[in-house]
Amino acid sequence: VDVFAGALGAGRGLGLGSGAEALLVERAAVEGARLAGRIGGDPRTFSGLSGVGDLVACAASPDHPGHRKGLALARGEAAAEVAAMCDALLSHAPSLPIVSGVRRVARGEVRVADALNVLMASAHVGEWDDA
């Protein structure tokens, strides 16, 4: 959840509107469910308080730790730690666009704005197919 909350915090720092934030939360819910299924958990687990509930809290409050982590990542802080976390998640489920974008930001390959633009512009039809 930290990676998704961090992405949301970074997006908020760039001034994402509420519609874009809602889309990011929805897509994070899909990725979280996909990841849970790939590591042997129940994909529905992510729809609870520690998954979607935490993302909604992050979207509602700039004081949320995810918001602060996202802003730090946008400044290039703790990038190695975030990249390693993303690598670990992607080793279980390589089809995680948000996690992939956060990893690219953490590695300095793209700016946060560019990663979010790619994510928001990409088609996500059928994302629930393999969740």
Side-chain angles (χ1 to χ4, degrees), residues 4 26 28-52 127-131:
F4 301 125
E26 183 270 334
V30 171
E31 286 190 34
R34 181 178 294 133
L35 179 60
R38 294 284 169 83
I39 60 173
D42 184 337
R44 295 174 293 182
T45 301
F46 199 79
S47 65
L49 288 176
S50 65
V52 173
E127 281 190 339
W128 284 101
D129 292 347
D130 64 353

Side-chain angles (χ1 to χ4, degrees), residues 73-97:
L73 179 61
R75 291 189 303 265
E77 299 168 11
E81 177 185 333
V82 172
M85 185 184 314
C86 291
D87 287 340
L89 295 175
L90 290 167
S91 72
H92 295 288
S95 181
L96 301 172

